Amino acid sequence: MNLCRGEGIIEAIHRPLTGHDRTGDHIEPASRSAAADLLRRWRHRALLTQEDLAELTGLGVRTIRRLESGAEQRPRVDSLRLIADALRLTEPDRAQLIGTWGAATSPPAVVPRQLPPAVSGFCGRAAYLATLDGVGKQPEPLAVITGPAGVGKTSLAAHWAHRAASNYPDGQLYADLCGFHPHAQPAEPAAVVRRFLDALGVHHSRIPAELVAQTALFRSITAGRRMLILLDNAAAAEQVRPLLPASGTTMVVITSRSQLTGLVAAEGAHHLALDLLTPQEARSLLQRRLGADRIEAEPAAAAEIVERCGRLPLALAVAAARAVSEHGSTLSDVAQDLSDSARRLDVLDTGDSATDVRAVLSWSYHRISSPAADVFRLLGTHPAPQIGLPAAAHLAGLAVEAARRILLELKRAHLVTALSSDRYTLHDLLHLYAADLARTHDDERTRAEAMGRVIDYYLSHAMAADRALYPARDRPPATYDVPAGPPWHAEDALAWFIREHQALDALLRSAAEQGRHREACQLAWAISCYLEQRGHLKELIDGQSLALDAARHLDDDHLQAVFIRHLGRAYVLLDDRERAIALLAEAAELAHRSGDGVLAANSILPTARLVSKTDLPQAIALCRTAISRFEQEGHEVGRASALNSIGWYLTLLGRPAEAIVYCEEALVVLERHGYRNLLASTLNSLARAHLDLGNHLLAAQLYERALGLVREVGDRYMFAEILMHAGDAHLAAGDTSQADRAWRDAMHVFTELDHPDALDARNRLADLPGESRSRTTGLAEPPPGPH
């Protein structure tokens, strides 16, 4: 047992006082003897005689002698306090003296059974229940269940307590500590321990006035007993410590919205961080509340309710109650009501502060500091639920370390969840609640300035990351004054995009909704290349469409051309020939009208890619037109990209020797500039030409080099395409295992991208065992062109 929990109570003072150990209204002789010996040693330590102590206390010498001999069966508490004062005992020693002798009370007439009612409809949480079972078998059974509002901490604790009650025959004590309550202050430990002593049969006249003495008495009485104590809704570790027993035979379960890290560190508590229900558990909760027939009749609506409630038990229970209480209401009706994010918290309002989701969330909000509350509200204005520490600091207008401290406070209050040391997320309902608070507490200027700061952060980093990954890309027009970003390495830039692209997409949508047209255009441009090359085509099309609308609001032909071209390229990848050609033609016309010959030429190359599927000579002719325009503009890299495309199409026409000339000319330019994605594309074309000429080993080497470059920039489409061709080269060289590996990897990537070429890869794998000849058929289209 940790000393902190015993606070100096020495086991040698008394034997455990159980109903069998104690008789009538006295302490057993062995306990009296140990206590008397301790008192005698304290007197000797103070260099006092019995007569001296009697004089200092005003007690008779006979009383002192009876106490030190163990003859006194029930000393008065006031007498014990006088002795403690005379001996100048420390607080722990005073508690030890008064608590030991003061334990001479009658045994409780009734074993306490104070557990709250069992939870109706409880389901799931099997792993947590098993963990609590295990904690109950430990030498010091102390468990702390923490989690956000409404996640079911009390339900879990109460359900387990009822299930395990028979293991604790000496009683179960319960207290709501009101740590997070709308109408009450956190319970004082002294008031709680007095209630516990009363439940244990201690007469009020025998309860000491001081908390330390009360705690000592409580621990003396519970020592050796097999009891269960449930301390619900704790505010802090300091509120709980005086309520902890000294004996390891008593199991204590604590619930709190705070993390109570101190109890884990000092008292060795076992921490259970309660998470959201799993999708299956959430469905089961609805089923228990509504019945299996209603769930089976509307499975899609039930699934939507689970999603809209964020798998939060309280929200699900309220949604189920609406479906039951509102006559004629179907699950589809409830799901429809919940679909409007602006009204969702209103839909989950029960009118009862104990179950109204908004009210329950507010209990946590009102317990945090004012600076933390300011940051929490601003997090609601951030359009994505996840946010990194640097972005949060910009949003709040704070230094990074100051933001870190506040986010730690929010984390301890379970208002945010830490995904890593510098990344955080808000539950969907908490995010809506924070946004609701921001609208009502913060003026429009405060919210707009926060949005401007966070846009600056994301734009500066996205522009820098884009430049690191795709240096061949022409820079956009200066539509928005973007701060300088970090000097990214390609690997770090790709990792940042992977981590933040959803936030960028959400920020773009929010900027467009707020009429921030220039910011929307800049955000759309900064993320377009990454989205295309990673295969996030739906996000790409939606975002570029928003940017196109913003460019039209700005009446900017050049910006319109940029985003129309991006949309055209996306439809090329989706193989939507008619729409892609129309968009690319419009982009070329607008670019020409605005005087951007490079953009006009870059709109030709994806058109050539589409044309190549039916007319390779026409595709080559289009590439030559693009070369002419690039030469007029002095755009060396664009010309090299067009040369590479011609080389690819010549290979498909069966003229690999001519193709090599074009590809090698392009390669010289691109190697000089160091543009990885265009180099990879050109190496892919060159490898294909050598493969057709029978230079199998050289082709395989060129493909491997291309794959290495593509890995650096993260272009998933190009990666899968080159893998397909590399498999051809390996098979032609007689290495079937390498061919199998390449095609299998390509199939996985194409499948993840939901691309039809996954079937081609699968067919090649199916044919592989019987193959002995080179397979040089496959994707009759070039890799993605320049950006």
Side-chain angles (χ1 to χ4, degrees), residues 404-462:
R404 187 192 302 276
R405 288 191 293 272
I406 286 179
L407 286 166
L408 179 60
E409 180 182 347
L410 294 175
K411 172 191 170 187
R412 287 172 175 165
H414 283 100
L415 289 171
V416 302
T417 300
L419 300 174
S420 65
S421 61
D422 60 356
R423 192 159 190 82
Y424 302 85
T425 187
L426 278 75
H427 182 273
D428 288 350
L429 295 179
L430 275 169
H431 194 248
L432 291 175
Y433 175 60
D436 194 25
L437 288 172
R439 284 190 295 271
T440 56
H441 286 73
D442 300 310
D443 58 38
E444 185 176 348
R445 178 179 176 180
T446 298
R447 300 195 304 272
E449 288 176 348
M451 174 66 85
R453 288 191 300 268
V454 83
I455 285 177
D456 280 351
Y457 165 78
Y458 278 110
L459 263 181
S460 64
H461 283 62

Side-chain angles (χ1 to χ4, degrees), residues 16-19 22 106-108 112 168-171 199-201 220-228 247-251:
L17 301 177
T18 67
R22 302 168 56 208
S106 299
Y168 304 97
D170 294 327
L200 291 167
S220 296
I221 292 175
T222 56
R225 292 190 180 185
R226 294 170 60 197
M227 298 186 69
L228 172 61
S247 172
T249 59
T250 294
M251 171 76 169

Side-chain angles (χ1 to χ4, degrees), residues 56-116:
L56 287 170
T57 60
L59 301 174
V61 174
R62 182 173 179 274
T63 299
I64 301 299
R65 287 173 179 166
R66 285 181 59 79
L67 284 169
E68 290 194 358
S69 68
E72 185 66 44
Q73 294 187 5
R74 193 178 67 178
R76 294 172 58 85
V77 174
D78 290 343
S79 299
L80 295 172
R81 289 177 184 148
L82 290 171
I83 292 172
D85 290 341
L87 295 174
R88 297 182 179 180
L89 298 181
T90 63
E91 283 301 317
D93 288 346
R94 286 174 65 90
Q96 189 171 339
L97 174 68
I98 296 171
T100 302
W101 286 101
T105 56
S106 299
V110 179
V111 175
R113 306 290 187 193
Q114 296 185 339
L115 294 180

